[in-house]
Amino acid sequence: MTSKEFAKGINNYRKIVGNQFGFKKSGYVSYKVVNGYFFYILHLVDVCVDLKVKPLYVDDLWWDIFQMPENKKPLSLRGNGAFALSGELIGEFQTFVGSYKNYIEQDFEIIWTSFFNKIEAEIANFISKNPSADRYMPPTTNMRGDVSLTYLIALLHNNKVHKVIELIHEARKNNSCCGMTQWIDDKEIDGYSFILKYANSIL
């Protein structure tokens, strides 16, 4: 097997096996909706895959606030869209470890089937602990340690508007950056500003 055949086989069978488990594939992302949650995997490298989750409503509300409602379709943009909010990492799984020369075509289906079985168990475990997507609270900070936009949106969804305003003002004092910006009238505006404006408008 050549490296090209190896890469093609991995990609093709992720779609074939994923479909059997209810996952749809879009590029390097496979995703499905369960109990109001958007579960998705990021297959960026061959040796491992990450499983992430966020409430389905999160990106809808965020894109309304961020003035990009057209992003709501297709559903896959929640996983690979440039302006989609981050989900919580709930699992990391090894997949195709070692040299491509050690694999045969039958291995693709076997490994992906084992992987998706593990994913299903992880999803079931997560839902058992977090049965309500509406009440679920994502991690409070992002990878840089700044207040997470996903967390702020979840707070808004749960009518904790004053808490959102307080957190954003605190982030400003600490010179924190949300990592999401948009240019409007030659001015760069970050996600905190969009959310703060929205929060003040619904008080």
Side-chain angles (χ1 to χ4, degrees):
M1 177 176 294
T2 66
S3 60
K4 185 175 181 179
E5 290 171 335
F6 178 67
K8 182 178 180 181
I10 288 178
N11 198 41
N12 288 344
Y13 277 91
R14 175 162 60 86
K15 179 178 181 179
I16 293 169
V17 178
N19 283 345
Q20 297 171 6
F21 287 84
F23 279 81
K24 295 181 179 180
K25 178 181 174 297
S26 178
Y28 58 84
V29 173
S30 294
Y31 64 91
K32 76 172 180 177
V33 177
V34 184
N35 281 33
Y37 289 102
F38 183 81
F39 291 93
Y40 62 111
I41 65 171
L42 301 176
H43 183 217
L44 299 172
V45 294
D46 294 336
V47 297
C48 64
V49 178
D50 294 336
L51 172 65
K52 295 189 173 187
V53 63
K54 55 186 170 181
L56 187 62
Y57 72 78
V58 162
D59 287 306
D60 286 340
L61 178 53
W62 162 244
W63 284 326
D64 281 339
I65 294 171
F66 202 54
Q67 300 178 19
M68 298 185 72
E70 67 277 5
N71 276 24
K72 294 179 184 180
K73 292 184 179 181
L75 195 63
S76 62
L77 284 181
R78 288 162 170 75
N80 59 10
F83 295 99
L85 294 184
S86 298
E88 177 185 359
L89 177 66
I90 60 172
E92 298 175 277
F93 306 87
Q94 287 192 329
T95 47
F96 297 87
V97 180
S99 172
Y100 66 87
K101 298 178 182 178
N102 298 329
Y103 292 91
I104 59 175
E105 185 171 356
Q106 289 87 337
D107 292 330
F108 297 135
E109 183 172 5
I110 293 170
I111 291 173
W112 278 128
T113 298
S114 174
F115 166 79
F116 278 105
N117 274 316
K118 293 175 183 176
I119 290 292
E120 289 295 288
E122 197 65 48
I123 290 174
N125 179 57
F126 177 86
I127 291 177
S128 71
K129 296 177 180 178
N130 305 278
S132 173
D134 285 323
R135 295 182 180 180
Y136 162 75
M137 279 294 147
T140 57
T141 57
N142 58 27
M143 293 179 64
R144 296 183 306 276
D146 301 319
V147 179
S148 164
L149 291 176
T150 310
Y151 177 63
L152 293 174
I153 293 296
L155 288 175
L156 286 176
H157 183 75
N158 282 274
N159 299 313
K160 299 182 183 298
V161 183
H162 288 287
K163 180 65 174 178
V164 169
I165 294 173
E166 176 188 332
L167 286 171
I168 293 177
H169 283 314
E170 187 65 30
R172 294 290 191 220
K173 291 179 183 177
N174 296 328
N175 295 317
S176 295
C177 177
C178 70
M180 196 84 73
T181 62
Q182 185 176 170
W183 286 90
I184 296 180
D185 296 329
D186 295 325
K187 183 179 181 181
E188 189 176 27
I189 305 174
D190 76 339
Y192 288 156
S193 295
F194 278 97
I195 291 177
L196 184 60
K197 180 179 179 181
Y198 177 82
N200 283 319
S201 74
I202 60 176
L203 279 178

